[in-house]
């Protein structure tokens, strides 16, 4: 019994002790779990705070970027508004000047009208006096000449008609001379006014034909092993690349195509700047340069059309206008020349009351053929006329292009204005760099190539060196030989001379026979008859 109670007591003690141990262990596990939960919560809070900070920083960056873009846009708009305000002020000033001129002309016309009215009144008075004197003269003549009244009237009428015809001829001549003088003065005033108010000074861009190589290492990379790189560049760009003698740092780009020259220049500039020159890099840079230059052509054409306000234009024509940026004629940039001609033509058309937009369009497109005259057969006038017809330009514009060098008849006053503006733009001081001496030497060189050929009688370089006419001796050269001579002269011109645009070579072979009949033989017969009579 005692043992049983002892066992039960021990069991109770064991149970209590086990319970206490389990409770302690449970509390330890609970504390560990709580500590782990606090750690997880702290990490989650830290990540949340970090994410909030990142989002806040990103929001601030986006806000600053948006504010900066808004500021830039506002600055650009303010600049655009300032430019438009300046243009508006210029237009107002121009309108004010035109208003003053119109007022002056109106006053002058009023004075002339008043003078004409006074003259008509004077003429009416003189007519009345003349009628009265004529009646008295008829009576006097009839009394003194013994004529009847009808015969005297006929005599007076005939005499008066002769006098009036003489006076009319004198008056008509005076009016014609006065009209010519006024027309010449008016034309000069129109041209001077257009020159003063029409053209706007535009920045001139120098077209580079060379690329500077900084050192010998880059020069060696451009040439490549056995000249592989430079030959690849020449093949891809269609140009000749030549290092200037005695200057290994200057690479000259030679080609007749200005677009190819610009592509080669851009590609070489990028290659030199990158210092990485390999076959793959060369192909990549040439492709990039071609893409950039083509985009620049279209962008330049679009800006030009927008500047001159000539209305919608076909994208292909705008690209041709962009090509004129890289084309020169006697040292004058053809794009700047075309813009200047468009502005001059528009100003003169406004003064004369014609369609100014159509006038500017004709002036802008008058030399469009020069953009591709080195690629397409024909003169720049023929090429420009063909493209204008192809893209549906107005007949006035087409005639202005075809007639601005006098090749065809001008059918519109705007064609005369375009020709005048073209002459003014090309003849103003500093417009073209070719001197008179160089011009004469170029014509003489053309004629010398022709005159050095066998069978040539004489030759003439005409149309400012755009055409060479050769007259051959018909007894020495037949038609086949004349054709061969034409081809030979063209080949020599292409091989030895530098010339703008295209030169037309024309060979003329003509045989003319002349014989005189009559006078000399008659005189000889008369002399023989006189000698025979004197001998008898």
């Amino acid at each position: 019994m005692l043992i049983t109670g002892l066992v039960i007591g021990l069991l109770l003690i064991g149970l209590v002790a086990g319970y206490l141990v389990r409770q302690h262990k449970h509390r330890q596990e609970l504390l560990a779990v709580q500590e782990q939960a606090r750690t997880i919560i702290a990490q989650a809070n830290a990540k949340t705070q970090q994410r909030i900070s990142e989002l806040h920083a990103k929001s601030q960056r986006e806000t600053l970027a948006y504010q900066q873009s808004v500021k830039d846009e506002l600055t650009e708009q303010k600049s655009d508004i300032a430019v438009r305000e300046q243009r508006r002020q210029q237009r107002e000033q121009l309108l004010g000047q035109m208003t003053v001129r119109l007022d002056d002309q109106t006053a002058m016309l009023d004075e002339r009208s008043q003078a004409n009215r006074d003259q008509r009144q004077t003429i009416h008075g003189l007519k009345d006096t003349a009628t009265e004197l004529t009646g008295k003269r008829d009576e006097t003549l009839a009394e003194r000449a013994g004529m009847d009244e009808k015969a005297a009237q006929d005599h007076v009428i005939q005499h008066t008609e002769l006098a009036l015809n003489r006076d009319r001829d004198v008056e008509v001549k005076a009016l014609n001379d006065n009209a010519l003088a006024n027309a010449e003065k008016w034309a000069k005033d129109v041209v001077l006014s257009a020159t003063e108010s029409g053209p706007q000074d535009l920045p001139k861009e120098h077209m580079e034909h060379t690329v500077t190589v900084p050192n010998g290492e880059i020069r060696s990379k451009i040439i490549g092993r056995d000249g592989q790189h430079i030959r690849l560049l020449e093949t891809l760009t269609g140009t000749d690349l030549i290092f200037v003698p005695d200057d290994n740092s200057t690479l000259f780009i030679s080609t007749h195509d200005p677009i190819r020259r610009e592509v080669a220049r851009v590609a070489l500039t990028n290659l030199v700047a990158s210092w990485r020159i390999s076959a793959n890099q060369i192909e990549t840079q040439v492709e990039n340069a071609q893409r950039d230059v083509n985009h620049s052509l279209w962008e330049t054409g679009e800006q030009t059309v927008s500047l001159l306000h000539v209305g919608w234009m076909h994208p292909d024509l705008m690209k041709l206008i962009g090509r004129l940026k890289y084309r020169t004629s006697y040292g004058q940039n053809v794009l700047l020349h075309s813009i200047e001609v468009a502005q001059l033509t528009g100003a003169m058309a406004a003064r004369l009351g014609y369609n100014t937009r159509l006038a500017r369009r004709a002036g802008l497109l008058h030399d469009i053929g020069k953009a591709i005259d080195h690629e397409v057969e024909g003169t720049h006038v023929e090429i420009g006329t063909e493209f204008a017809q192809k893209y549906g330009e107005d007949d006035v514009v087409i005639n202005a292009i075809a007639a601005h060098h006098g090749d065809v008849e001008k059918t519109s006053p705007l064609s005369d204005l375009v020709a005048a503006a073209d002459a003014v733009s090309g003849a103003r001081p500093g417009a073209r760099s070719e001197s008179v001496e160089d011009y004469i030497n170029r014509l003489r060189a053309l004629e010398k190539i022709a005159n050095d050929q066998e069978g040539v009688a004489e030759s003439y370089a005409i149309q400012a060196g755009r055409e060479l006419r050769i007259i051959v001796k018909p007894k020495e050269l037949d038609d086949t030989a004349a054709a061969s001579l034409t081809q030979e002269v063209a080949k020599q011109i292409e091989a030895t001379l530098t010339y703008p645009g295209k030169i037309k070579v024309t060979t003329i072979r003509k045989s003319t026979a002349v014989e005189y009949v009559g006078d000399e033989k008659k005189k000889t017969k008369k002399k023989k008859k006189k000698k025979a009579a004197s001998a008898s």
Side-chain angles (χ1 to χ4, degrees), residues 67-83:
Q67 290 176 350
Q68 185 63 36
S69 64
V70 170
K71 289 180 180 179
D72 294 341
E73 185 177 357
L74 288 174
T75 303
E76 184 178 354
Q77 290 179 356
K78 288 179 180 179
S79 176
D80 185 43
I81 290 171
V83 171

Side-chain angles (χ1 to χ4, degrees), residues 123-147:
I123 290 172
H124 288 318
L126 292 175
K127 283 184 177 179
D128 295 338
T129 304
T131 302
E132 184 179 354
L133 292 175
T134 300
K136 293 181 179 179
R137 185 176 60 180
D138 291 343
E139 296 176 357
T140 304
L141 286 175
E143 292 176 358
R144 295 185 178 181
M147 299 180 181

Side-chain angles (χ1 to χ4, degrees), residues 26 76 102 108 191 201 204 212 231 384 407 411 497:
H26 179 69
E76 184 178 354
L102 287 174
M108 181 179 64
V191 173
D201 291 332
K204 295 184 178 180
T212 301
R231 285 199 299 272
D407 296 332
T411 60
L497 297 183

Side-chain angles (χ1 to χ4, degrees), residues 213-507:
V213 180
N215 53 49
E217 180 183 357
I218 297 296
R219 179 175 180 272
S220 300
K221 289 183 178 180
I222 290 176
I223 295 174
R225 180 180 297 177
D226 299 329
Q228 293 178 353
H229 288 171
I230 199 168
R231 285 199 299 272
L232 178 60
L233 275 167
E234 290 177 339
T235 301
L236 293 176
T237 60
T239 61
D240 295 327
L241 304 178
I242 306 166
F243 279 97
V244 177
D246 302 328
D247 185 6
N248 293 330
S249 64
T250 302
L251 181 60
F252 183 77
I253 305 172
S254 175
T255 179
H256 289 294
D257 190 334
I259 306 301
R260 292 180 181 177
R261 183 188 300 116
E262 181 64 13
V263 170
R265 186 192 68 80
V266 173
L268 282 167
T269 302
N270 294 336
L271 284 171
V272 170
S274 67
W275 286 66
R276 296 192 304 273
I277 302 176
S278 62
N280 292 333
Q281 188 69 11
I282 289 173
E283 292 177 356
T284 302
Q285 291 295 347
V286 170
E287 290 177 0
N288 293 338
Q290 289 174 342
R291 184 178 61 254
D292 293 343
V293 170
N294 287 331
H295 180 72
S296 174
L297 296 179
W298 184 86
E299 190 176 32
T300 300
E302 185 182 30
Q303 292 174 354
T304 303
V305 171
S306 176
L307 170 69
L308 296 174
H309 304 288
V310 296
W312 183 88
M313 187 172 290
H314 196 281
D316 290 346
L317 279 180
M318 288 197 292
K319 192 172 181 180
L320 290 178
I321 292 172
R323 292 174 70 95
L324 295 178
K325 176 181 178 181
Y326 303 102
R327 176 73 158 83
T328 59
S329 179
Y330 303 106
Q332 185 180 26
N333 185 277
V334 179
L335 176 60
L336 297 182
H337 165 70
S338 299
I339 294 174
E340 190 173 43
V341 170
Q343 293 171 336
L344 284 170
T345 307
M348 288 189 288
R351 183 72 183 272
L352 296 173
Y354 296 125
N355 187 329
T356 56
R357 172 174 290 187
L358 196 61
R360 289 194 298 269
R361 193 180 186 94
L364 176 62
L365 296 177
H366 82 285
D367 270 346
I368 194 67
K370 288 185 178 180
I372 52 173
D373 59 352
H374 54 280
E375 300 177 0
V376 181
E377 290 292 331
T379 65
H380 76 277
V381 173
E382 297 169 348
I383 298 170
T385 304
E386 180 181 351
F387 270 83
Q389 293 173 341
K390 177 180 178 181
Y391 293 112
E393 287 295 322
D394 193 279
D395 291 339
V396 173
V397 176
I398 295 173
N399 181 254
I401 297 172
H404 76 277
H405 280 312
D407 296 332
V408 300
E409 182 182 357
K410 299 179 179 67
T411 60
S412 169
L414 293 184
S415 300
D416 291 299
L417 295 184
V418 170
D422 180 46
V424 170
S425 176
R428 63 178 176 79
R432 296 185 173 179
S433 59
E434 185 180 48
S435 63
V436 176
E437 182 179 359
D438 294 337
Y439 172 75
I440 294 174
N441 289 336
R442 185 163 57 84
L443 298 186
R444 287 178 177 174
L446 286 172
E447 294 176 351
K448 183 177 184 302
I449 290 176
N451 292 332
D452 289 344
Q453 306 295 323
E454 294 183 0
V456 174
E458 51 191 351
S459 63
Y460 303 96
I462 61 176
Q463 292 188 6
R466 294 187 180 89
E467 183 177 355
L468 178 63
R469 291 188 180 178
I470 306 170
I471 301 175
V472 300
K473 300 174 182 178
K475 294 183 179 180
E476 297 183 10
L477 298 178
D478 56 12
D479 291 340
T480 304
S484 300
L485 180 129
T486 306
Q487 296 176 356
E488 180 64 25
V489 170
K491 290 180 181 178
Q492 291 192 20
I493 292 173
E494 186 175 4
T496 59
L497 297 183
T498 301
Y499 52 89
K502 188 171 183 178
I503 298 176
K504 179 181 180 181
V505 181
T506 304
T507 300

